[in-house]
């Protein structure tokens, strides 16, 4: 990102791997008072669903105002309240 001079457009939030971690990270992001991102690449599907829940609870339309993607392409992605884009990690 630095090479392409894009690092000022990227925010990396500390998190974890659970639904609660995704919830906590997006709650912190919303309290930040900077412009919200246009996309979130979550650690996995659980954190993506946690993030998605907080965004919707705050009236932010997904995918209308922000895009979100998970990683794992597990059963959690199918249970998401909004269809979740997820990267599969199968060989």
């Amino acid at each position: 990102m630095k090479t392409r001079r894009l690092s000022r457009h990227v925010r990396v939030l500390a998190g974890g791997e659970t639904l609660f971690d995704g919830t906590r990270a997006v709650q912190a992001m919303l309290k930040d008072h900077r412009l919200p991102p246009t996309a979130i690449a979550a650690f996995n599907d659980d954190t993506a669903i946690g993030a998605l829940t907080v965004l919707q609870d705050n009236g932010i339309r997904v995918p209308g105002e922000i895009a979100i993607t998970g990683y794992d392409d597990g059963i959690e992605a199918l249970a998401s309240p909004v269809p979740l884009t997820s990267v599969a990690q199968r060989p």
Side-chain angles (χ1 to χ4, degrees):
M1 297 306 260
K2 288 180 185 177
T3 303
R4 301 284 182 199
R5 296 187 179 109
L6 295 172
S7 56
R8 67 185 174 100
H9 299 288
V10 175
R11 264 190 282 180
V12 177
L13 302 176
E17 57 187 58
T18 68
L19 186 137
F20 176 73
D21 293 324
T23 299
R24 189 172 36 90
V26 172
Q27 286 170 336
M29 178 196 72
L30 292 175
K31 289 179 185 175
D32 189 342
H33 300 295
R34 288 195 272 174
L35 288 175
T38 56
I40 294 174
F43 177 79
N44 60 20
D45 293 343
D46 285 340
T47 55
I49 292 168
L52 173 67
T53 301
V54 172
L55 293 169
Q56 288 184 319
D57 288 350
N58 283 276
I60 299 170
R61 292 178 296 115
V62 179
E65 297 175 67
I66 188 169
I68 188 163
T69 185
Y71 181 79
D72 288 337
D73 198 25
I75 195 76
E76 299 87 357
L78 297 174
S80 175
V82 171
L84 179 65
T85 298
S86 183
V87 178
Q89 62 171 341
R90 293 178 204 81

